[in-house]
Amino acid sequence: MRWPHCRPLLLPLVLLALLGGCRRPTSAPDEKASAPAPGSLGTVTVKGSDTLVVLGQRWAEQFMKDHPGARIQVTGGGSGTGIAALINGTTDIAMSSRPLQDAERQQARRRWPRGPVELAVARDGITFYVHESNPVDSLSLAQLQAIYLGDARNWKDVGGADAPIIVYSRESSSGTYVFVKDAVLKGQDFTERAQTLPGTAAVVNAVSLEPHGIGYGGVAYARGVKELKVRVGEQDEAVPPTPATLQSGAYPLSRELYFELPREPTGLTRTFIDYVLSPEGQGLVTDAGFFPVK
């Protein structure tokens, strides 16, 4: 078929025009869309202990203010959840309110031959809470054990009023749960009557609303409840959970709180941890109601 009105050079010119039209237009030098995005220092994920989560968020907020471009993501879920994430490689730092167990350490080492690394970042005390109207001011470790094993079911069994003891506990993935099981129950199982709650804040809230309740958690969370003094033996002096008794070791239920890492930290992770352990970072520990590491 002939195209009588087309000149011989028309087709090449049309092709050149089409090819030129396929090129990406060049932006003007002052166009914001062409400017590179601000440089990012990277992201560090921090996951685990509900006891540490509020403090972890405070560290992250202040660190990101001082380091624009850095992103520190902090979430809770319990120490066990954080440690599982560490082992399977889905977090940079696991927050834990207990040391790694031998089996967990071996699992982590199989994946991370140069790790794991455990760093104490704060100190805490485990306190037992009762309602503010409860006349009981102190309990011995043996009495606490009896309550959480289910052997003591009425407050009159431990020097209180004639009323049933309503027991609150943490979920089994919690490092606080593990600490109480080891330090108070000596490895025995919690009573089936214990109501399991997802976090220390939930335990404190439940006890504040239940005149006959008892629960446990970190000292920093005690708001609107009474903290019990603790006696090691029945005839021993009852010790309150104060900064002085926790630092000296006189209070029998103190512990360290940890960052667990797959290996020695580098880069942004190292910079963040250096901040956490700095005087400024440890100052936030005190502000949050915990105690600095020595």
Side-chain angles (χ1 to χ4, degrees):
M1 181 176 178
R2 297 184 62 189
W3 299 88
H5 302 292
C6 291
R7 295 180 181 179
L9 293 178
L10 181 60
L11 184 59
L13 289 172
V14 171
L15 289 172
L16 286 171
L18 290 173
L19 289 171
C22 293
R23 293 176 185 171
R24 195 170 187 173
T26 303
S27 301
D30 59 346
E31 199 169 321
K32 289 184 179 180
S34 65
S40 173
L41 296 178
T43 299
V44 175
T45 57
V46 185
K47 186 172 187 176
S49 169
D50 286 316
T51 299
L52 263 175
V53 70
V54 173
L55 177 55
Q57 289 168 346
R58 290 193 185 187
W59 279 327
E61 288 169 6
Q62 188 58 53
F63 182 83
M64 288 187 290
K65 286 180 183 178
D66 297 339
H67 299 79
R71 189 178 181 192
I72 312 295
Q73 297 177 326
V74 180
T75 57
S79 298
T81 299
I83 292 168
L86 176 78
I87 291 170
N88 63 35
T90 56
T91 190
D92 298 305
I93 299 172
M95 299 181 293
S96 180
S97 57
R98 61 171 176 82
L100 287 176
Q101 298 170 349
D102 289 341
E104 293 167 338
R105 196 176 299 278
Q106 291 171 9
Q107 284 180 289
R109 190 166 291 132
R110 282 196 290 270
R111 184 181 180 98
W112 313 104
R114 296 185 180 181
V117 174
E118 187 170 78
L119 298 172
V121 292
R123 287 190 62 81
D124 184 28
I126 292 298
T127 58
F128 284 82
Y129 320 119
V130 296
H131 194 270
E132 291 180 323
S133 65
N134 194 320
V136 173
D137 290 319
S138 66
L139 291 173
S140 67
L141 289 175
Q143 288 173 320
L144 290 169
Q145 183 186 78
I147 289 172
Y148 274 87
L149 290 179
D151 298 333
R153 300 190 176 194
N154 193 296
W155 280 108
K156 68 180 181 180
D157 297 333
V158 291
D162 185 3
I165 300 175
I166 309 300
V167 181
Y168 297 106
S169 182
R170 291 291 311 280
E171 68 282 1
S172 60
S173 64
S174 161
T176 304
Y177 169 99
V178 174
F179 181 89
V180 171
K181 183 174 182 178
D182 290 344
V184 179
L185 305 189
K186 305 304 179 185
Q188 300 177 80
D189 291 330
F190 286 77
T191 174
E192 294 180 355
R193 297 173 56 251
Q195 300 180 40
T196 302
L197 297 174
T200 302
V203 172
V204 170
N205 183 63
V207 172
S208 72
L209 299 174
E210 173 51 69
H212 308 311
I214 184 171
Y216 60 84
V219 64
Y221 286 80
R223 301 288 187 275
V225 290
K226 180 195 290 186
E227 292 178 288
L228 294 177
K229 300 174 185 177
V230 175
R231 302 189 304 276
V232 174
E234 295 297 333
Q235 305 304 317
D236 291 331
E237 181 181 356
V239 181
T242 65
T245 60
L246 284 162
Q247 290 282 26
S248 69
Y251 184 74
L253 298 175
S254 62
R255 61 178 178 173
E256 291 184 321
L257 306 175
Y258 301 95
F259 275 2
E260 309 287 354
L261 300 99
R263 63 180 77 83
E264 287 289 339
T266 59
L268 184 60
T269 302
R270 174 62 181 269
T271 305
F272 176 61
I273 291 174
D274 285 346
Y275 167 76
V276 165
L277 296 175
S278 72
E280 182 181 355
Q282 290 295 293
L284 290 180
V285 171
T286 303
D287 292 343
F290 297 95
F291 307 95
V293 288
K294 294 181 179 180

